Amino acid sequence: MTRLDLVIVGAGPAGLRAAVEAATGGLSVMLVDEGREPGGQIYRGSESGAFAGTAKLGSDYAAGAVLAAAFRASGVEALFGATVIQIEREADGSFSVSVATGHDKAVVVRARAVIAATGAQERPFPIDGWTLPGVMTAGAAQTMLKADGVVPDGPVVLAGTGPLLYLLAAQYGALGVAIDTLLDTAGPGNWRRALPHVAGFLTSRYAFKGLGLLGKALAATRIIRGVEAVSAIGDTRLSAVTYRKGATERTIPAHVLLLHHGVVPQINLTWSAGAQHRWNAARLAFEPVRDASGQTDVPGLFIAGDSGGIGGAQAAEAEGALAAFGVLRMLRGTAGDDDRIERQWRRRLAVSLRGRAFLDALYAPRQSHLCPPDEVIVCRCEEVTAGDIRKAVRRGAMGPNQVKAFTRAGMGPCQSRMCGLTTVAIIAEETGLSPGDIGHMRLRAPVKPVTVAQIASLSEADERRPTESPSATRPCK
Amino acid sequence: MFRRLVEPAGHVTVTIDGRPFSVAAGETLSTALLLAGFAGLRRSARLGRERGPFCGMGVCFDCLVTIDGAANRQACLVRVRDGMAVQTGTRLPALADTVPE
Ligand SMILES: Cc1cc2nc3c(=O)[nH]c(=O)nc-3n(C[C@H](O)[C@H](O)[C@H](O)COP(=O)(O)OP(=O)(O)OC[C@H]3O[C@@H](n4cnc5c(N)ncnc54)[C@H](O)[C@@H]3O)c2cc1C
Ligand code: FES
């Protein structure tokens, strides 16, 4: 089997820029993405989506088309609609990357280095009723907008905290899509905690953009701040949203409720590949430990973009370039003819990270929303409630793996992507330990449920199978 | 629940639970299902409750449907194709039922 220099996982700004720079440096590269075309989350649909080639979703979004075109021009081989389910480092230091390419097909790609640029996912916002059809994440609604030009109909409520919630409100506003109510659940002390970081924020690009955003969203929407509790009401469908602020409780009709709690790195793939991850207390998330080029403690495995820590699209692109230079240096001993370009990207990275600490503090979720009341379902797959988890901890389950064994939280097909952080938060609250000391549930490969046919086709191609972990995944039939 | 803001370039026909629907060519399957009025796509493992697309990006697994006979496909990661046959309403086996304590 031929061995490539580099496999890149993810076609967002980080992966696309990494591909362009690595190809420019003369490496043989393959890029794999679950999506159908280049773009990742921010630039979803920028090649063929409903707003491709327009400025209707803002200038940031329009930048995606330029990057996608640069990627296409690089000649890098791309595998779209394909999911990387396992990254393994072999004894000779090279990597075997298992890729599910269809419901009954999987292949192994070999490479000397891997850049994981798998991006972020939204932090779960577990509330009563959040499993009802009609309740979605703000990111899901935004993806429907970008990819398909589809928007909510009937009364729609946005609830939660984070810049993306306001970005979506502003994008809807600019398109004339009415939002009935935006329930802002950020904590009352956030401003005070954000203030020490205000200098960085004022010199960042968010200052101007962020305030403009807020203005637009404010003009178009009824915004209720300081919301302390939200729940989704309905029998088999969402029909209303109840919220509480101080002593007032109100119920408003809703066909669509869009939740958002900020974004956190997607860590399943890099964790299962053996890279060390650490708790970031300011960002309330686990992040991989990386050097300045994004290399992890697994030599040859690099991480770029939001999957390494949330920095936004511009930081992701810069990190993608820096990771590509890191791989070039590792394989070729030099990152190119002169390191001026690398220094430029490093400067751009620093500039684009300005203001991030301010935003992290300003939009931090409330503790009471990170650790929901007993009746709320935390693990959507196995329908395990916060109360079930608390009970397990009181019965002696000290860590997330034990809680998983006691309650089945994290055993379903999503492999704890929806419940992992909440489980850790509840254990922390119950035991008084820090999430860093508690750690995350063990994350294993394959990082998505695999079919028997996929395993069969893998072993045919390779006489090997991804490590099976029945406790972590339920193979789909 | 949802409506189309931008008119599609063309249409294709898919079958959902045995009934034909005209949907936008190249559209995300989960979007097409929502527009066709299918808010609940599968049933939950333990309580058998209806679930619809939640994350829209392949991380929650609430959008699992059967596509052309292949079970448990994530509708949010698939685009519609002419002649595609989709079946909703599968109930995932609860782990409680399949894995011994
Ligand atoms: C739903 C959502 C919407 C967002 N919208 C915006 C926005 O409008 N504006 C903004 O400024 N920021 C937005 N963000 C924040 C976003 O994380 C960054 O702006 C930016 O997209 C990060 O770039 P990235 O290259 O690190 O990762 P991403 O752009 O997230 O790209 C990662 C890519 O990796 C792919 N991938 C992940 N795992 C695998 C796997 N195992 N196998 C194959 N492929 C895989 C994904 O399909 C995705 O295309 C959004 C985040 C989310 C989660
Ligand atoms: S909607 Fe979450 S995986 Fe498809």
Side-chain angles (χ1 to χ4, degrees):
Chain A
M1 192 184 290
T2 55
R3 198 165 67 176
L4 297 163
D5 291 323
L6 173 65
V7 167
I8 298 171
V9 192
L16 293 178
R17 179 53 67 191
V20 171
E21 295 302 333
T24 305
L27 298 183
S28 58
V29 186
M30 181 190 272
L31 180 143
V32 184
D33 195 292
E34 230 168 22
R36 296 286 142 174
E37 57 181 45
Q41 302 308 345
I42 176 167
Y43 304 139
R44 179 76 63 209
S46 49
E47 266 189 358
S48 73
F51 298 94
T54 78
K56 288 181 181 165
L57 296 182
S59 57
D60 272 12
Y61 181 73
V66 179
L67 186 54
F71 168 72
R72 294 291 190 191
S74 75
V76 165
E77 185 184 351
L79 213 52
F80 287 107
T83 303
V84 172
I85 52 175
Q86 179 162 27
I87 298 172
E88 267 178 302
R89 190 165 184 272
E90 304 293 346
D92 68 355
S94 71
F95 290 88
S96 293
V97 180
S98 305
V99 189
T101 52
H103 79 275
D104 56 357
K105 284 192 293 286
V107 296
V108 177
V109 183
R110 295 196 192 287
R112 299 166 72 194
V114 173
I115 298 177
T118 51
Q121 66 161 73
E122 289 170 276
R123 176 197 302 283
F125 184 7
I127 61 164
D128 204 21
W130 72 316
T131 52
L132 281 170
V135 183
M136 298 170 82
T137 68
Q142 198 207 29
T143 299
M144 287 174 76
L145 174 70
K146 291 172 186 170
D148 304 314
V150 167
V151 297
D153 197 16
V156 50
V157 175
L158 274 60
T161 177
L164 205 59
L165 196 68
Y166 282 95
L167 173 61
L168 180 63
Q171 286 173 331
Y172 280 159
L175 294 166
V177 177
I179 298 161
D180 291 74
T181 309
L182 190 156
L183 303 171
D184 187 323
T185 63
N190 283 9
W191 265 106
R192 194 170 30 78
R193 283 187 285 273
L195 221 51
H197 307 290
V198 74
F201 175 73
L202 289 175
T203 57
S204 75
R205 52 193 295 277
Y206 302 108
F208 174 70
K209 208 183 99 177
L211 296 177
L213 247 178
L214 222 59
K216 268 203 246 172
L218 276 170
T221 316
R222 184 165 73 113
I223 298 181
I224 298 167
R225 290 177 195 289
V227 170
E228 289 157 48
V230 183
S231 48
I233 315 285
D235 188 9
T236 56
R237 298 278 178 281
L238 176 78
S239 59
V241 173
T242 297
Y243 68 91
R244 185 171 52 75
K245 179 180 174 171
T248 25
E249 190 171 279
R250 281 218 172 78
T251 300
I252 46 181
H255 288 170
V256 177
L257 168 62
L258 303 176
L259 298 173
H260 186 69
H261 236 181
V263 297
V264 294
Q266 294 212 58
I267 55 171
N268 289 53
L269 191 60
T270 51
W271 189 298
S272 70
Q276 193 195 343
H277 290 64
R278 203 181 278 155
W279 178 252
N280 183 324
R283 291 172 175 168
L284 301 169
F286 289 95
E287 296 173 350
V289 179
R290 305 179 290 167
D291 70 12
S293 317
Q295 190 166 201
T296 65
D297 61 339
V298 176
L301 173 61
F302 293 70
I303 300 176
D306 273 7
S307 51
I310 305 305
Q314 305 223 331
E317 191 177 338
E319 287 187 5
L322 294 171
F325 293 131
V327 172
L328 275 164
R329 200 173 299 108
M330 187 183 95
L331 298 181
R332 298 276 154 85
T334 161
D337 303 336
D338 71 77
D339 53 10
R340 215 185 58 240
I341 301 175
E342 190 175 0
R343 278 205 310 276
Q344 273 170 11
W345 281 113
R346 208 165 286 291
R347 224 169 10 249
R348 263 195 246 183
L349 175 62
V351 171
S352 57
L353 288 175
R354 265 187 221 154
R356 229 45 237 195
F358 179 81
L359 295 178
D360 290 340
L362 187 66
Y363 290 111
R366 286 170 194 258
Q367 177 64 21
S368 60
H369 293 170
L370 295 173
C371 297
D374 278 353
E375 67 278 9
V376 172
I377 286 177
V378 170
C379 167
R380 298 170 62 93
C381 297
E382 296 295 316
E383 298 170 303
V384 180
T385 64
D388 295 334
I389 293 171
R390 290 198 176 94
K391 218 182 302 162
V393 177
R394 287 174 198 154
R395 275 167 50 201
M398 290 303 288
N401 295 313
Q402 277 172 303
V403 167
K404 178 174 169 178
F406 274 48
T407 65
R408 303 181 186 287
M411 280 193 191
C414 94
Q415 304 184 357
S416 82
R417 287 170 174 91
M418 289 291 121
C419 68
L421 284 173
T422 312
T423 302
V424 174
I426 293 174
I427 299 172
E429 192 184 56
E430 286 291 315
T431 59
L433 296 171
S434 102
D437 293 330
I438 293 165
H440 197 277
M441 282 175 204
R442 245 189 316 277
L443 300 171
R444 296 198 182 105
V447 299
K448 292 217 170 167
V450 290
T451 62
V452 176
Q454 283 169 339
I455 295 180
S457 88
L458 258 189
S459 36
E460 251 167 53
D462 193 48
E463 291 172 357
R464 88 169 47 245
R465 34 181 48 210
T467 344
E468 283 175 77
S469 51
S471 63
T473 59
R474 176 194 305 131
C476 298
K477 272 187 230 90
Chain B
M1 213 169 138
F2 288 89
R3 68 186 163 94
R4 192 179 294 295
L5 197 65
V6 179
E7 275 316 305
H11 289 85
V12 297
T13 303
V14 299
T15 313
I16 308 172
D17 295 346
R19 280 191 292 150
F21 287 86
S22 173
V23 302
E27 185 156 65
T28 310
L29 176 58
S30 53
T31 303
L33 287 162
L34 286 168
L35 286 173
F38 293 79
L41 300 186
R42 70 159 171 100
R43 290 188 176 273
S44 65
R46 215 154 60 85
L47 305 174
R49 296 209 182 119
E50 278 191 63
R51 291 289 174 82
F54 179 71
C55 73
M57 58 171 285
V59 294
C60 78
F61 291 77
D62 270 336
C63 64
L64 300 179
V65 294
T66 301
I67 303 173
D68 296 330
N72 297 328
R73 309 296 302 149
Q74 290 173 286
C76 69
L77 294 181
V78 172
R79 288 188 183 184
V80 296
R81 260 179 295 100
D82 195 41
M84 187 182 250
V86 182
Q87 193 71 38
T88 75
T90 313
R91 179 170 176 177
L92 285 193
L95 266 181
D97 304 335
T98 56
V99 177
E101 252 337 296

